[in-house]
Amino acid sequence: MTFPDTVRQHHDNVRALRCAVSEQPNPTIHHCHGGSMAQAGYKSGGGQRGCGEALVIPLAHEYHVGDSGIDYGVGVVTWEFWYQDQMKHLEWVNEQLPYDIFELHEHWKQNPPRRG
């Protein structure tokens, strides 16, 4: 399996999918954390944003940092109640890409990626 060489390449691939909630174009990258991620055993920490650079979903501004946003407006618990678990959205992202993002996450834990 061929993985992206850089974080930027992976994030560009994820952004190209459109918003996971609304399908709006030009989403931002949300670093998944807390809620369903913690329940699945993915913990934030180690200097990483969220649960790492591989476990990200595309979100329109409103659902990311707007009034209905997971990282500003309503928080993880309410957001996941309204818009489904982050893990469900990650599974959708995983189905859309030609590589496994969960394997990429493990690979990057052992071999930290380049940012650029």
Side-chain angles (χ1 to χ4, degrees):
M1 178 175 301
T2 303
F3 295 126
D5 291 326
T6 65
V7 170
R8 176 175 290 227
Q9 287 174 344
H10 174 57
H11 288 187
D12 286 349
N13 293 339
V14 173
R15 267 192 295 276
L17 299 175
R18 296 180 169 244
C19 175
V21 173
S22 67
E23 298 185 15
Q24 292 177 44
N26 305 313
T28 59
I29 292 294
H30 167 65
H31 292 81
C32 295
H33 60 87
S36 62
M37 299 302 295
Q39 291 172 350
Y42 293 99
K43 306 289 185 193
S44 300
Q48 297 179 347
R49 296 168 61 187
C51 293
E53 296 294 345
L55 302 182
V56 297
I57 59 175
L59 293 177
H61 178 85
E62 175 65 22
Y63 303 104
H64 191 195
V65 294
D67 290 340
S68 298
I70 191 168
D71 284 341
Y72 174 72
V74 298
V76 172
V77 174
T78 299
W79 191 93
E80 286 192 335
F81 179 75
W82 288 353
Y83 305 115
Q84 295 190 320
D85 292 351
Q86 293 169 90
M87 281 298 297
K88 294 277 187 204
H89 291 295
L90 281 172
E91 290 165 3
W92 174 78
V93 167
N94 197 48
E95 291 170 4
Q96 307 307 307
L97 297 177
Y99 52 89
D100 188 298
I101 62 172
F102 299 100
E103 289 180 17
L104 178 63
H105 173 72
E106 292 302 318
H107 175 73
W108 279 354
K109 281 182 11 184
Q110 301 301 316
N111 306 287
R114 295 189 322 254
R115 299 276 321 151

